[in-house]
Amino acid sequence: MKYFLDITPAIVNKTAIHNIIKDTVENIPESKNQLLLLGKPYKYSGSFGSGLPRLMRWALKAPRLFILARRFLVPLLPNDNRPIFLFDPLYLLFYRNLTQSKIMVLDLTPITRPEWHGTNVAKLYNEAFRQIKNLNLECHSISESTREDLRTVLKINEDKNLLLYIYANKKFQPHEEPVFSKQILFVGSFEPRKNLTGLIQGFQKSNLGKDGYSLHIVGAATTHYENVKADFLNDKSIVFHGYLSDAELHAVYQNTQVFAYPSHWEGFGVPLLEAMNMKIASFASITSACPEVGGPAMKYVDPKDTSEIAEALSSLCKMTKDEYLKYTETSWQHAQKFSFEKYIQTLEKALQ
């Protein structure tokens, strides 16, 4: 391996990318001496620190000023010839012009649906993707869906538009027997694109709460999360967990009968894959990468149609044991396409 790894997203972001970076560093030992944080050398000690770096905080607070300053200063500086692999396009903005970078691309919604991300974040990503296009940098998309968006939206050349599937942690192992707990689970970051309101409305429309079913919602609290939670506080069949540790999250998965993932858009969908690996009956949106991850036998819904969400919930909850076993076995077989071993092999080849 000759590439530096920019691990800045692991410091800033506690979603799936945090564990992906941690797993990558721990399984490519030679990378531990080639880590960067916003362009500066970083010593790995077995875990990552927390908190938003000062320069990142300024960029998010005043993106227009940051972008203007960067456009003025970068041409005055020499190019950065270090070979660097970045786990998120945004962090290109904290380097001089890179000439040998490779970028992991999660999704293009910051530029195709900026309203889902916040104005300042969308402005920064728009500038980062402009850099990718102008510098003709090599992209590694986490799904064919994202790869197609790069092809159609940014017109990235085919030789620079590659595929790097991600994975679910190995701790998500299959249940020995189906768990008919009457627990329905959603896991994800609380953004409008996750369609949390649509899921809750679909659950209420299904009337499953009257039959003793409960909907459990897990994810770090945000303004959107608090607003949604406030709207449904009176429904005791809906449980808002907020952020859970890895151990707590795994325990919730262990007690889940049905996993619901009717997101408007996913670059991949790690929580869906986690549920599939545990042989939990799941359904997802027909949009974006969900059908790619879920496979041809999974039940899909239009995320805008709460009646379809209600029907999917009801049909999965009312499965017999034999139906449940057949459905989850088929999903589990498809999930084996996305293994950690394949991810590491593909990444190591890209880093040579």
Side-chain angles (χ1 to χ4, degrees), residues 31-44:
S31 73
K32 293 181 181 179
N33 296 320
Q34 293 175 272
L35 302 181
L36 300 173
L37 173 65
L38 291 186
K40 297 180 180 180
Y42 181 87
K43 186 173 178 60
Y44 182 65

Side-chain angles (χ1 to χ4, degrees), residues 17-73:
I17 195 65
H18 177 93
N19 289 325
I20 288 170
I21 294 174
K22 187 174 185 292
D23 291 342
T24 300
V25 174
E26 291 177 349
N27 285 272
I28 307 181
E30 59 268 37
S31 73
K32 293 181 181 179
N33 296 320
Q34 293 175 272
L35 302 181
L36 300 173
L37 173 65
L38 291 186
K40 297 180 180 180
Y42 181 87
K43 186 173 178 60
Y44 182 65
S45 61
S47 63
F48 296 112
S50 60
L52 202 61
R54 185 177 300 175
L55 185 58
M56 173 69 74
R57 187 178 293 110
W58 174 57
L60 288 170
K61 185 176 181 180
R64 288 186 183 275
L65 181 59
F66 174 81
I67 291 168
L68 285 172
R70 188 181 185 282
R71 288 184 182 181
F72 175 77
L73 291 173

Side-chain angles (χ1 to χ4, degrees), residues 16-203:
I17 195 65
H18 177 93
N19 289 325
I20 288 170
I21 294 174
K22 187 174 185 292
D23 291 342
T24 300
V25 174
E26 291 177 349
N27 285 272
I28 307 181
E30 59 268 37
S31 73
K32 293 181 181 179
N33 296 320
Q34 293 175 272
L35 302 181
L36 300 173
L37 173 65
L38 291 186
K40 297 180 180 180
Y42 181 87
K43 186 173 178 60
Y44 182 65
S45 61
S47 63
F48 296 112
S50 60
L52 202 61
R54 185 177 300 175
L55 185 58
M56 173 69 74
R57 187 178 293 110
W58 174 57
L60 288 170
K61 185 176 181 180
R64 288 186 183 275
L65 181 59
F66 174 81
I67 291 168
L68 285 172
R70 188 181 185 282
R71 288 184 182 181
F72 175 77
L73 291 173
V74 165
L76 304 178
L77 302 171
N79 289 335
D80 192 334
N81 296 318
R82 290 176 296 177
I84 301 172
F85 186 89
L86 296 98
F87 287 90
D88 190 304
L90 183 66
Y91 303 97
L92 274 171
L93 301 182
F94 302 98
Y95 290 85
R96 294 167 286 164
N97 280 340
L98 296 173
T99 57
Q100 299 187 63
S101 321
K102 298 182 179 183
I103 320 292
M104 178 186 281
V105 182
L106 309 180
D107 66 80
L108 267 70
T109 56
I111 59 174
T112 59
R113 296 297 300 268
E115 67 274 15
W116 288 346
H117 295 271
T119 303
N120 290 357
V121 170
K123 288 175 181 175
L124 293 175
Y125 270 103
N126 192 67
E127 180 69 8
F129 279 112
R130 190 184 73 86
Q131 283 287 98
I132 288 176
K133 178 67 175 175
N134 289 347
L135 297 174
N136 194 29
L137 299 178
E138 185 172 290
C139 297
H140 293 260
S141 298
I142 63 171
S143 67
E144 285 285 2
S145 173
T146 296
R147 191 180 181 196
E148 177 61 21
D149 283 347
L150 281 172
R151 185 181 295 119
T152 57
V153 177
L154 288 186
K155 312 298 182 186
I156 299 296
N157 295 335
E158 288 300 300
D159 64 328
K160 299 287 187 179
N161 191 3
L162 307 175
L163 182 64
L164 177 63
Y165 278 134
I166 52 177
Y167 59 93
N169 191 286
K170 290 181 179 180
K171 68 185 177 184
F172 293 94
Q173 293 294 311
H175 290 308
E176 293 182 4
E177 288 289 329
V179 177
F180 293 106
S181 60
K182 293 193 173 184
Q183 177 174 296
I184 300 164
L185 177 63
F186 166 87
V187 176
S189 57
F190 290 121
E191 307 165 2
R193 71 183 175 98
K194 295 294 185 176
N195 195 27
L196 190 55
T197 299
L199 170 59
I200 293 173
Q201 291 174 344
F203 173 72

Side-chain angles (χ1 to χ4, degrees), residues 274-324:
E274 291 169 345
M276 293 165 63
N277 277 341
M278 294 189 73
K279 292 191 175 180
I280 298 170
S282 306
F283 76 93
S285 297
I286 194 62
T287 60
S288 59
C290 288
E292 191 177 340
V293 175
M298 181 167 284
K299 181 176 284 292
Y300 296 103
V301 300
D302 176 351
K304 297 178 182 178
D305 191 331
T306 56
S307 294
E308 284 193 20
I309 294 172
E311 189 280 328
L313 286 167
S314 295
S315 64
L316 293 184
C317 287
K318 294 175 182 178
M319 280 181 172
T320 65
K321 181 177 179 179
D322 287 345
E323 290 171 336
Y324 194 99

